[in-house]
Amino acid sequence: KKKLNNTIPVGFSDLAGKNIIIDGANILHECSSATKQLELNPLKKYIQELESANVGSLSIVFDASTQHKFSKEDAVEFISMINDNKSNYTLAPKATEADSIVLNIAHKTESIVITNDFYDDYKEKLPEAYNWFKSNHITASHVMGIWSMNTTNSNEFMNE
């Protein structure tokens, strides 16, 4: 009998002590109401909730073009946020796919990936990193100003 991958909720407290890496542009698109302009405050709230849960480490990788998708005020704050956290927050180099950086970092640091992308195009390009991702990822939703997270029962970190 085939085992179904059921979606299960993930609480912030479930991530205590775990290394986390966020696909920054992906999550910014999730929490922004205007598709042409990203909003920084929901991401900042999400970061605060993760930090309050005492995650082991928190890293964020953004696409190179992300900074150009904010209002002028948010763009200045975004660049400041990156500069103040250079060891953990980064912009991917131009002409580089941030997704591959996220997957590589996740694999090498044994981090849980938070993204709503399933990275299927990396099955063959980065098989080891993709295999790590398959059992160590979370999807995030931002609805009515509230962040929620889900994963499937096939994710290893939920069994620890």
Side-chain angles (χ1 to χ4, degrees):
K1 196 173 192 179
K2 185 176 179 183
K3 183 179 174 184
L4 296 175
N5 286 332
N6 296 321
T7 301
I8 53 176
V10 177
F12 286 93
S13 61
D14 294 329
L15 303 178
K18 305 222 184 292
N19 296 333
I20 306 295
I21 185 162
I22 297 175
D23 180 339
N26 182 277
I27 296 303
L28 278 166
H29 283 285
E30 172 61 34
C31 68
S32 297
S33 55
T35 55
K36 292 188 179 189
Q37 193 167 66
L38 298 177
E39 299 171 29
L40 190 57
N41 281 334
L43 176 64
K44 288 172 36 182
K45 181 180 175 189
Y46 191 49
I47 291 167
Q48 289 172 343
E49 289 195 61
L50 288 165
E51 288 174 343
S52 293
N54 295 317
V55 297
S57 70
L58 178 62
S59 301
I60 309 175
V61 177
F62 298 95
D63 293 322
S65 63
T66 303
Q67 61 188 323
H68 305 294
K69 297 178 181 177
F70 289 107
S71 67
K72 287 181 183 176
E73 274 182 22
D74 275 358
V76 169
E77 190 174 354
F78 174 74
I79 293 302
S80 177
M81 186 175 90
I82 299 269
N83 289 337
D84 291 346
N85 296 287
K86 279 191 181 281
S87 61
N88 292 74
Y89 302 174
T90 190
L91 285 170
K94 291 179 183 175
T96 302
E97 293 182 22
D99 294 352
S100 65
I101 296 170
V102 169
L103 287 173
N104 275 315
I105 292 172
H107 182 240
K108 290 178 180 171
T109 62
E110 297 185 341
S111 296
I112 297 167
V113 179
I114 299 178
T115 184
N116 292 338
D117 191 341
F118 288 96
Y119 300 137
D120 287 334
D121 46 333
Y122 288 93
K123 283 179 189 175
E124 292 179 17
K125 291 180 194 174
L126 297 169
E128 288 181 26
Y130 177 78
N131 285 335
W132 169 264
F133 164 78
K134 279 193 332 187
S135 57
N136 292 281
H137 76 277
I138 293 171
T139 58
S141 299
H142 185 255
V143 179
M144 298 171 44
I146 299 169
W147 281 103
S148 61
M149 299 178 290
N150 289 289
T151 193
T152 62
N153 58 7
S154 65
N155 274 268
E156 293 175 3
F157 72 91
M158 291 300 286
N159 298 323
E160 295 175 357

Short mmCIF file of all heavy atoms in Angstrom, two decimals, residues 64-130:
data_model
loop_
_atom_site.label_atom_id
_atom_site.label_comp_id
_atom_site.label_asym_id
_atom_site.label_seq_id
_atom_site.Cartn_x
_atom_site.Cartn_y
_atom_site.Cartn_z
N ALA A 64 19.34 38.31 -6.62
CA ALA A 64 20.06 39.57 -6.80
C ALA A 64 19.12 40.75 -7.06
O ALA A 64 19.37 41.86 -6.61
CB ALA A 64 21.05 39.43 -7.95
N SER A 65 18.03 40.51 -7.75
CA SER A 65 17.11 41.59 -8.12
C SER A 65 16.13 41.99 -7.00
O SER A 65 15.39 42.96 -7.15
CB SER A 65 16.31 41.19 -9.36
OG SER A 65 15.51 40.06 -9.05
N THR A 66 16.13 41.28 -5.90
CA THR A 66 15.15 41.51 -4.83
C THR A 66 15.14 42.96 -4.37
O THR A 66 14.07 43.55 -4.20
CB THR A 66 15.42 40.58 -3.64
OG1 THR A 66 15.40 39.24 -4.08
CG2 THR A 66 14.38 40.78 -2.54
N GLN A 67 16.28 43.55 -4.19
CA GLN A 67 16.36 44.91 -3.66
C GLN A 67 15.63 45.93 -4.54
O GLN A 67 15.20 46.98 -4.05
CB GLN A 67 17.81 45.33 -3.48
CG GLN A 67 18.62 45.34 -4.76
CD GLN A 67 20.08 45.56 -4.51
OE1 GLN A 67 20.45 46.32 -3.63
NE2 GLN A 67 20.93 44.89 -5.28
N HIS A 68 15.44 45.64 -5.81
CA HIS A 68 14.80 46.57 -6.73
C HIS A 68 13.27 46.42 -6.75
O HIS A 68 12.60 47.15 -7.47
CB HIS A 68 15.35 46.37 -8.14
CG HIS A 68 16.83 46.49 -8.20
ND1 HIS A 68 17.51 47.67 -7.95
CD2 HIS A 68 17.79 45.57 -8.44
CE1 HIS A 68 18.81 47.47 -8.04
NE2 HIS A 68 19.01 46.19 -8.35
N LYS A 69 12.74 45.52 -5.94
CA LYS A 69 11.31 45.26 -5.95
C LYS A 69 10.58 45.83 -4.73
O LYS A 69 9.43 45.51 -4.49
CB LYS A 69 11.07 43.75 -6.06
CG LYS A 69 11.60 43.18 -7.37
CD LYS A 69 11.41 41.70 -7.47
CE LYS A 69 12.00 41.19 -8.79
NZ LYS A 69 11.89 39.75 -8.90
N PHE A 70 11.29 46.66 -3.97
CA PHE A 70 10.72 47.30 -2.79
C PHE A 70 10.43 48.77 -3.07
O PHE A 70 10.99 49.35 -4.00
CB PHE A 70 11.71 47.25 -1.61
CG PHE A 70 11.91 45.90 -1.01
CD1 PHE A 70 13.09 45.20 -1.25
CD2 PHE A 70 10.96 45.33 -0.19
CE1 PHE A 70 13.30 43.96 -0.68
CE2 PHE A 70 11.16 44.09 0.38
CZ PHE A 70 12.33 43.40 0.14
N SER A 71 9.63 49.38 -2.21
CA SER A 71 9.51 50.83 -2.23
C SER A 71 10.88 51.40 -1.86
O SER A 71 11.73 50.68 -1.34
CB SER A 71 8.46 51.29 -1.21
OG SER A 71 8.94 51.01 0.12
N LYS A 72 11.10 52.68 -2.08
CA LYS A 72 12.40 53.28 -1.77
C LYS A 72 12.75 53.12 -0.29
O LYS A 72 13.88 52.77 0.05
CB LYS A 72 12.44 54.76 -2.17
CG LYS A 72 12.50 54.97 -3.65
CD LYS A 72 12.56 56.43 -4.01
CE LYS A 72 12.56 56.58 -5.53
NZ LYS A 72 12.53 57.98 -5.94
N GLU A 73 11.78 53.34 0.59
CA GLU A 73 12.02 53.19 2.04
C GLU A 73 12.40 51.77 2.41
O GLU A 73 13.36 51.54 3.12
CB GLU A 73 10.76 53.58 2.83
CG GLU A 73 10.62 55.03 3.13
CD GLU A 73 9.37 55.29 3.96
OE1 GLU A 73 8.86 54.37 4.64
OE2 GLU A 73 8.90 56.43 3.93
N ASP A 74 11.60 50.82 1.93
CA ASP A 74 11.87 49.41 2.25
C ASP A 74 13.19 48.94 1.63
O ASP A 74 13.89 48.12 2.22
CB ASP A 74 10.72 48.51 1.78
CG ASP A 74 9.59 48.42 2.79
OD1 ASP A 74 9.70 49.02 3.88
OD2 ASP A 74 8.59 47.74 2.48
N ALA A 75 13.55 49.48 0.46
CA ALA A 75 14.80 49.08 -0.19
C ALA A 75 16.00 49.48 0.67
O ALA A 75 16.94 48.69 0.85
CB ALA A 75 14.91 49.70 -1.58
N VAL A 76 15.95 50.67 1.23
CA VAL A 76 17.03 51.14 2.10
C VAL A 76 17.11 50.26 3.35
O VAL A 76 18.19 49.82 3.75
CB VAL A 76 16.82 52.64 2.49
CG1 VAL A 76 17.78 53.05 3.59
CG2 VAL A 76 16.98 53.52 1.26
N GLU A 77 15.97 49.96 3.94
CA GLU A 77 15.94 49.10 5.12
C GLU A 77 16.39 47.68 4.80
O GLU A 77 17.09 47.04 5.58
CB GLU A 77 14.53 49.10 5.73
CG GLU A 77 14.48 48.44 7.08
CD GLU A 77 13.11 48.56 7.74
OE1 GLU A 77 12.22 49.25 7.23
OE2 GLU A 77 12.96 47.92 8.80
N PHE A 78 16.01 47.20 3.63
CA PHE A 78 16.40 45.85 3.19
C PHE A 78 17.92 45.75 3.07
O PHE A 78 18.53 44.80 3.59
CB PHE A 78 15.72 45.53 1.85
CG PHE A 78 16.16 44.23 1.24
CD1 PHE A 78 15.74 43.02 1.76
CD2 PHE A 78 16.99 44.22 0.13
CE1 PHE A 78 16.14 41.81 1.20
CE2 PHE A 78 17.39 43.03 -0.45
CZ PHE A 78 16.97 41.82 0.08
N ILE A 79 18.54 46.71 2.39
CA ILE A 79 19.99 46.69 2.22
C ILE A 79 20.68 46.81 3.59
O ILE A 79 21.67 46.11 3.85
CB ILE A 79 20.46 47.82 1.27
CG1 ILE A 79 19.95 47.54 -0.15
CG2 ILE A 79 21.98 47.97 1.28
CD1 ILE A 79 20.40 46.20 -0.73
N SER A 80 20.13 47.60 4.47
CA SER A 80 20.68 47.72 5.82
C SER A 80 20.58 46.39 6.56
O SER A 80 21.51 45.96 7.24
CB SER A 80 19.93 48.82 6.58
OG SER A 80 20.38 48.89 7.90
N MET A 81 19.44 45.71 6.40
CA MET A 81 19.24 44.40 7.03
C MET A 81 20.29 43.40 6.54
O MET A 81 20.86 42.66 7.32
CB MET A 81 17.82 43.90 6.72
CG MET A 81 17.42 42.63 7.41
SD MET A 81 15.69 42.21 7.07
CE MET A 81 15.90 41.23 5.59
N ILE A 82 20.55 43.41 5.24
CA ILE A 82 21.56 42.52 4.66
C ILE A 82 22.94 42.88 5.22
O ILE A 82 23.69 42.01 5.67
CB ILE A 82 21.58 42.64 3.11
CG1 ILE A 82 20.25 42.24 2.53
CG2 ILE A 82 22.74 41.85 2.51
CD1 ILE A 82 20.06 40.83 2.16
N ASN A 83 23.28 44.15 5.19
CA ASN A 83 24.60 44.59 5.64
C ASN A 83 24.83 44.33 7.13
O ASN A 83 25.95 44.04 7.54
CB ASN A 83 24.81 46.08 5.33
CG ASN A 83 24.99 46.33 3.85
OD1 ASN A 83 25.37 45.43 3.09
ND2 ASN A 83 24.68 47.54 3.41
N ASP A 84 23.77 44.42 7.93
CA ASP A 84 23.89 44.18 9.37
C ASP A 84 24.01 42.70 9.71
O ASP A 84 24.33 42.35 10.84
CB ASP A 84 22.69 44.78 10.12
CG ASP A 84 22.68 46.30 10.09
OD1 ASP A 84 23.71 46.91 9.75
OD2 ASP A 84 21.61 46.88 10.41
N ASN A 85 23.69 41.83 8.77
CA ASN A 85 23.68 40.38 9.00
C ASN A 85 24.44 39.64 7.91
O ASN A 85 24.02 38.56 7.48
CB ASN A 85 22.24 39.87 9.06
CG ASN A 85 21.46 40.44 10.20
OD1 ASN A 85 21.69 40.06 11.34
ND2 ASN A 85 20.56 41.37 9.92
N LYS A 86 25.56 40.20 7.46
CA LYS A 86 26.28 39.63 6.32
C LYS A 86 26.63 38.14 6.47
O LYS A 86 26.69 37.43 5.49
CB LYS A 86 27.56 40.43 6.06
CG LYS A 86 27.31 41.69 5.28
CD LYS A 86 28.62 42.28 4.82
CE LYS A 86 28.44 43.56 4.06
NZ LYS A 86 28.02 43.41 2.71
N SER A 87 26.84 37.69 7.68
CA SER A 87 27.21 36.28 7.85
C SER A 87 26.01 35.34 7.64
O SER A 87 26.20 34.15 7.41
CB SER A 87 27.83 36.04 9.22
OG SER A 87 26.90 36.36 10.24
N ASN A 88 24.79 35.89 7.68
CA ASN A 88 23.62 35.02 7.55
C ASN A 88 22.63 35.42 6.46
O ASN A 88 21.82 34.61 6.04
CB ASN A 88 22.86 34.96 8.88
CG ASN A 88 23.65 34.24 9.93
OD1 ASN A 88 24.61 34.79 10.46
ND2 ASN A 88 23.30 33.02 10.23
N TYR A 89 22.65 36.68 6.03
CA TYR A 89 21.74 37.14 4.98
C TYR A 89 22.58 37.55 3.78
O TYR A 89 23.56 38.27 3.93
CB TYR A 89 20.93 38.36 5.42
CG TYR A 89 20.07 38.18 6.66
CD1 TYR A 89 19.40 39.26 7.19
CD2 TYR A 89 19.92 36.96 7.30
CE1 TYR A 89 18.61 39.14 8.32
CE2 TYR A 89 19.13 36.83 8.43
CZ TYR A 89 18.48 37.92 8.94
OH TYR A 89 17.69 37.81 10.05
N THR A 90 22.16 37.12 2.60
CA THR A 90 22.96 37.44 1.41
C THR A 90 22.10 37.61 0.17
O THR A 90 21.03 37.01 0.07
CB THR A 90 24.04 36.36 1.16
OG1 THR A 90 24.93 36.82 0.17
CG2 THR A 90 23.43 35.04 0.73
N LEU A 91 22.61 38.41 -0.73
CA LEU A 91 22.04 38.51 -2.07
C LEU A 91 22.86 37.59 -2.97
O LEU A 91 24.08 37.61 -2.93
CB LEU A 91 22.17 39.94 -2.61
CG LEU A 91 21.21 40.99 -2.06
CD1 LEU A 91 21.63 42.38 -2.52
CD2 LEU A 91 19.79 40.69 -2.48
N ALA A 92 22.17 36.78 -3.76
CA ALA A 92 22.88 35.93 -4.72
C ALA A 92 23.56 36.83 -5.74
O ALA A 92 23.05 37.90 -6.08
CB ALA A 92 21.90 35.00 -5.43
N PRO A 93 24.72 36.43 -6.25
CA PRO A 93 25.36 37.23 -7.30
C PRO A 93 24.46 37.32 -8.53
O PRO A 93 23.65 36.43 -8.79
CB PRO A 93 26.62 36.41 -7.63
CG PRO A 93 26.83 35.53 -6.46
CD PRO A 93 25.48 35.25 -5.88
N LYS A 94 24.62 38.40 -9.28
CA LYS A 94 23.85 38.55 -10.52
C LYS A 94 24.10 37.36 -11.43
O LYS A 94 25.19 36.80 -11.44
CB LYS A 94 24.26 39.84 -11.24
CG LYS A 94 23.84 41.08 -10.51
CD LYS A 94 24.29 42.32 -11.24
CE LYS A 94 23.91 43.54 -10.42
NZ LYS A 94 24.42 44.78 -10.99
N ALA A 95 23.09 36.98 -12.16
CA ALA A 95 23.15 35.87 -13.12
C ALA A 95 23.40 34.52 -12.45
O ALA A 95 23.85 33.57 -13.08
CB ALA A 95 24.19 36.13 -14.21
N THR A 96 23.10 34.45 -11.15
CA THR A 96 23.22 33.18 -10.42
C THR A 96 21.86 32.84 -9.84
O THR A 96 21.18 33.71 -9.30
CB THR A 96 24.24 33.31 -9.26
OG1 THR A 96 25.49 33.69 -9.80
CG2 THR A 96 24.38 32.01 -8.50
N GLU A 97 21.47 31.60 -9.94
CA GLU A 97 20.18 31.18 -9.40
C GLU A 97 20.30 31.03 -7.88
O GLU A 97 21.07 30.21 -7.38
CB GLU A 97 19.74 29.87 -10.02
CG GLU A 97 19.43 30.00 -11.50
CD GLU A 97 18.95 28.69 -12.10
OE1 GLU A 97 18.46 27.82 -11.35
OE2 GLU A 97 19.08 28.55 -13.31
N ALA A 98 19.54 31.84 -7.17
CA ALA A 98 19.56 31.78 -5.71
C ALA A 98 19.14 30.40 -5.21
O ALA A 98 19.62 29.93 -4.18
CB ALA A 98 18.67 32.87 -5.13
N ASP A 99 18.26 29.73 -5.95
CA ASP A 99 17.78 28.42 -5.54
C ASP A 99 18.93 27.43 -5.35
O ASP A 99 18.95 26.65 -4.40
CB ASP A 99 16.80 27.85 -6.56
CG ASP A 99 15.51 28.65 -6.64
OD1 ASP A 99 15.30 29.55 -5.81
OD2 ASP A 99 14.70 28.37 -7.56
N SER A 100 19.90 27.46 -6.25
CA SER A 100 21.02 26.52 -6.13
C SER A 100 21.87 26.85 -4.90
O SER A 100 22.39 25.95 -4.24
CB SER A 100 21.88 26.53 -7.39
OG SER A 100 22.51 27.78 -7.59
N ILE A 101 21.97 28.13 -4.57
CA ILE A 101 22.71 28.53 -3.37
C ILE A 101 21.98 28.04 -2.12
O ILE A 101 22.58 27.48 -1.21
CB ILE A 101 22.92 30.06 -3.34
CG1 ILE A 101 23.80 30.49 -4.51
CG2 ILE A 101 23.51 30.51 -2.01
CD1 ILE A 101 23.87 31.99 -4.72
N VAL A 102 20.66 28.23 -2.11
CA VAL A 102 19.85 27.76 -0.98
C VAL A 102 20.04 26.26 -0.78
O VAL A 102 20.30 25.79 0.33
CB VAL A 102 18.35 28.09 -1.19
CG1 VAL A 102 17.48 27.37 -0.16
CG2 VAL A 102 18.11 29.60 -1.12
N LEU A 103 19.92 25.50 -1.85
CA LEU A 103 20.05 24.04 -1.76
C LEU A 103 21.44 23.62 -1.28
O LEU A 103 21.57 22.73 -0.43
CB LEU A 103 19.73 23.39 -3.10
CG LEU A 103 18.26 23.38 -3.48
CD1 LEU A 103 18.08 22.87 -4.90
CD2 LEU A 103 17.45 22.55 -2.51
N ASN A 104 22.48 24.24 -1.82
CA ASN A 104 23.84 23.89 -1.42
C ASN A 104 24.10 24.20 0.05
O ASN A 104 24.67 23.39 0.78
CB ASN A 104 24.87 24.61 -2.29
CG ASN A 104 25.14 23.85 -3.57
OD1 ASN A 104 25.31 22.65 -3.57
ND2 ASN A 104 25.17 24.57 -4.67
N ILE A 105 23.68 25.38 0.49
CA ILE A 105 23.88 25.76 1.89
C ILE A 105 23.09 24.82 2.80
O ILE A 105 23.61 24.36 3.82
CB ILE A 105 23.49 27.23 2.14
CG1 ILE A 105 24.48 28.16 1.43
CG2 ILE A 105 23.43 27.54 3.63
CD1 ILE A 105 24.08 29.63 1.44
N ALA A 106 21.85 24.54 2.42
CA ALA A 106 21.02 23.64 3.24
C ALA A 106 21.69 22.29 3.42
O ALA A 106 21.76 21.75 4.52
CB ALA A 106 19.64 23.47 2.61
N HIS A 107 22.19 21.73 2.32
CA HIS A 107 22.83 20.43 2.36
C HIS A 107 24.10 20.46 3.22
O HIS A 107 24.31 19.60 4.08
CB HIS A 107 23.14 19.97 0.93
CG HIS A 107 23.76 18.63 0.85
ND1 HIS A 107 24.99 18.43 0.30
CD2 HIS A 107 23.32 17.41 1.26
CE1 HIS A 107 25.28 17.14 0.36
NE2 HIS A 107 24.30 16.51 0.94
N LYS A 108 24.93 21.46 3.01
CA LYS A 108 26.21 21.53 3.73
C LYS A 108 26.07 21.86 5.20
O LYS A 108 26.91 21.46 6.01
CB LYS A 108 27.13 22.53 3.04
CG LYS A 108 27.61 22.02 1.69
CD LYS A 108 28.49 23.00 0.97
CE LYS A 108 28.91 22.37 -0.36
NZ LYS A 108 29.59 23.29 -1.23
N THR A 109 25.02 22.60 5.57
CA THR A 109 24.83 22.99 6.97
C THR A 109 23.72 22.21 7.66
O THR A 109 23.36 22.51 8.79
CB THR A 109 24.53 24.50 7.07
OG1 THR A 109 23.31 24.77 6.37
CG2 THR A 109 25.66 25.34 6.52
N GLU A 110 23.15 21.24 6.93
CA GLU A 110 22.04 20.44 7.44
C GLU A 110 20.92 21.34 7.96
O GLU A 110 20.45 21.20 9.09
CB GLU A 110 22.51 19.45 8.51
CG GLU A 110 23.49 18.43 7.95
CD GLU A 110 23.89 17.36 8.94
OE1 GLU A 110 23.71 17.56 10.16
OE2 GLU A 110 24.37 16.32 8.48
N SER A 111 20.52 22.27 7.11
CA SER A 111 19.48 23.23 7.45
C SER A 111 18.14 22.83 6.83
O SER A 111 18.09 22.27 5.74
CB SER A 111 19.85 24.62 6.94
OG SER A 111 21.00 25.11 7.58
N ILE A 112 17.08 23.18 7.52
CA ILE A 112 15.73 23.01 6.99
C ILE A 112 15.46 24.19 6.07
O ILE A 112 15.73 25.34 6.43
CB ILE A 112 14.71 22.96 8.13
CG1 ILE A 112 14.98 21.75 9.03
CG2 ILE A 112 13.28 22.95 7.59
CD1 ILE A 112 14.24 21.78 10.35
N VAL A 113 14.93 23.91 4.89
CA VAL A 113 14.65 24.95 3.91
C VAL A 113 13.20 25.41 4.04
O VAL A 113 12.29 24.60 4.04
CB VAL A 113 14.89 24.45 2.47
CG1 VAL A 113 14.58 25.54 1.45
CG2 VAL A 113 16.31 23.93 2.31
N ILE A 114 13.02 26.73 4.14
CA ILE A 114 11.67 27.29 4.14
C ILE A 114 11.48 27.97 2.79
O ILE A 114 12.15 28.96 2.47
CB ILE A 114 11.45 28.27 5.30
CG1 ILE A 114 11.63 27.54 6.64
CG2 ILE A 114 10.05 28.90 5.19
CD1 ILE A 114 11.47 28.42 7.86
N THR A 115 10.57 27.40 2.00
CA THR A 115 10.25 27.91 0.67
C THR A 115 8.93 27.30 0.21
O THR A 115 8.52 26.25 0.72
CB THR A 115 11.36 27.54 -0.35
OG1 THR A 115 11.05 28.15 -1.61
CG2 THR A 115 11.52 26.06 -0.53
N ASN A 116 8.31 27.95 -0.73
CA ASN A 116 7.11 27.37 -1.35
C ASN A 116 7.44 26.81 -2.73
O ASN A 116 6.56 26.43 -3.49
CB ASN A 116 5.99 28.42 -1.44
CG ASN A 116 5.49 28.76 -0.05
OD1 ASN A 116 5.65 27.99 0.89
ND2 ASN A 116 4.90 29.92 0.09
N ASP A 117 8.72 26.75 -3.03
CA ASP A 117 9.22 26.17 -4.27
C ASP A 117 9.57 24.71 -3.99
O ASP A 117 10.01 24.38 -2.89
CB ASP A 117 10.48 26.93 -4.71
CG ASP A 117 10.95 26.60 -6.11
OD1 ASP A 117 10.56 25.54 -6.64
OD2 ASP A 117 11.73 27.39 -6.66
N PHE A 118 9.40 23.84 -4.97
CA PHE A 118 9.75 22.43 -4.76
C PHE A 118 11.02 22.02 -5.49
O PHE A 118 11.43 20.87 -5.43
CB PHE A 118 8.56 21.51 -5.10
CG PHE A 118 7.48 21.62 -4.06
CD1 PHE A 118 6.41 22.48 -4.25
CD2 PHE A 118 7.57 20.93 -2.87
CE1 PHE A 118 5.44 22.62 -3.27
CE2 PHE A 118 6.60 21.06 -1.89
CZ PHE A 118 5.53 21.91 -2.09
N TYR A 119 11.67 22.95 -6.17
CA TYR A 119 13.00 22.76 -6.76
C TYR A 119 13.12 21.51 -7.64
O TYR A 119 14.19 20.91 -7.71
CB TYR A 119 14.07 22.72 -5.67
CG TYR A 119 14.18 23.96 -4.82
CD1 TYR A 119 14.33 23.85 -3.45
CD2 TYR A 119 14.17 25.22 -5.37
CE1 TYR A 119 14.46 24.98 -2.65
CE2 TYR A 119 14.29 26.36 -4.58
CZ TYR A 119 14.43 26.23 -3.23
OH TYR A 119 14.57 27.34 -2.45
N ASP A 120 12.05 21.13 -8.29
CA ASP A 120 12.09 19.91 -9.12
C ASP A 120 13.17 19.97 -10.21
O ASP A 120 13.71 18.94 -10.59
CB ASP A 120 10.73 19.66 -9.77
CG ASP A 120 9.71 19.17 -8.76
OD1 ASP A 120 10.12 18.56 -7.74
OD2 ASP A 120 8.50 19.40 -8.98
N ASP A 121 13.50 21.17 -10.68
CA ASP A 121 14.52 21.29 -11.73
C ASP A 121 15.93 21.02 -11.21
O ASP A 121 16.88 21.01 -11.98
CB ASP A 121 14.44 22.65 -12.42
CG ASP A 121 14.31 23.82 -11.47
OD1 ASP A 121 13.79 23.65 -10.36
OD2 ASP A 121 14.75 24.93 -11.85
N TYR A 122 16.07 20.76 -9.91
CA TYR A 122 17.40 20.46 -9.35
C TYR A 122 17.61 18.98 -9.04
O TYR A 122 18.65 18.60 -8.52
CB TYR A 122 17.64 21.30 -8.09
CG TYR A 122 17.87 22.74 -8.44
CD1 TYR A 122 16.82 23.64 -8.46
CD2 TYR A 122 19.13 23.19 -8.82
CE1 TYR A 122 17.01 24.95 -8.82
CE2 TYR A 122 19.34 24.50 -9.19
CZ TYR A 122 18.28 25.38 -9.18
OH TYR A 122 18.48 26.67 -9.56
N LYS A 123 16.64 18.14 -9.36
CA LYS A 123 16.78 16.70 -9.12
C LYS A 123 18.06 16.16 -9.75
O LYS A 123 18.76 15.36 -9.13
CB LYS A 123 15.58 15.94 -9.70
CG LYS A 123 14.35 16.02 -8.89
CD LYS A 123 13.23 15.24 -9.58
CE LYS A 123 11.91 15.50 -8.90
NZ LYS A 123 10.79 14.88 -9.58
N GLU A 124 18.32 16.57 -10.96
CA GLU A 124 19.51 16.06 -11.68
C GLU A 124 20.71 16.98 -11.53
O GLU A 124 21.84 16.53 -11.51
CB GLU A 124 19.17 15.86 -13.16
CG GLU A 124 18.18 14.72 -13.35
CD GLU A 124 17.81 14.51 -14.81
OE1 GLU A 124 18.53 15.00 -15.70
OE2 GLU A 124 16.79 13.85 -15.04
N LYS A 125 20.47 18.30 -11.41
CA LYS A 125 21.58 19.26 -11.32
C LYS A 125 22.34 19.14 -10.00
O LYS A 125 23.56 19.24 -9.97
CB LYS A 125 21.06 20.69 -11.44
CG LYS A 125 20.54 21.07 -12.80
CD LYS A 125 20.07 22.52 -12.76
CE LYS A 125 19.23 22.89 -13.95
NZ LYS A 125 18.68 24.25 -13.83
N LEU A 126 21.59 18.98 -8.91
CA LEU A 126 22.19 18.90 -7.57
C LEU A 126 21.53 17.75 -6.79
O LEU A 126 20.81 17.98 -5.83
CB LEU A 126 21.98 20.22 -6.81
CG LEU A 126 22.63 21.47 -7.38
CD1 LEU A 126 22.12 22.72 -6.68
CD2 LEU A 126 24.14 21.37 -7.24
N PRO A 127 21.75 16.52 -7.20
CA PRO A 127 21.01 15.40 -6.60
C PRO A 127 21.16 15.24 -5.09
O PRO A 127 20.18 14.98 -4.39
CB PRO A 127 21.51 14.17 -7.36
CG PRO A 127 22.76 14.60 -8.05
CD PRO A 127 22.69 16.07 -8.22
N GLU A 128 22.37 15.38 -4.55
CA GLU A 128 22.54 15.21 -3.10
C GLU A 128 21.84 16.31 -2.33
O GLU A 128 21.16 16.05 -1.33
CB GLU A 128 24.02 15.17 -2.74
CG GLU A 128 24.71 13.89 -3.18
CD GLU A 128 26.18 13.88 -2.79
OE1 GLU A 128 26.56 14.54 -1.82
OE2 GLU A 128 26.94 13.18 -3.47
N ALA A 129 21.99 17.55 -2.78
CA ALA A 129 21.33 18.67 -2.12
C ALA A 129 19.81 18.56 -2.26
O ALA A 129 19.07 18.83 -1.32
CB ALA A 129 21.83 19.99 -2.69
N TYR A 130 19.35 18.14 -3.43
CA TYR A 130 17.92 17.97 -3.65
C TYR A 130 17.35 16.88 -2.73
O TYR A 130 16.28 17.04 -2.15
CB TYR A 130 17.62 17.64 -5.11
CG TYR A 130 16.16 17.39 -5.37
CD1 TYR A 130 15.28 18.46 -5.48
CD2 TYR A 130 15.66 16.10 -5.46
CE1 TYR A 130 13.92 18.24 -5.69
CE2 TYR A 130 14.31 15.87 -5.67
CZ TYR A 130 13.45 16.95 -5.78
OH TYR A 130 12.10 16.73 -5.97
#
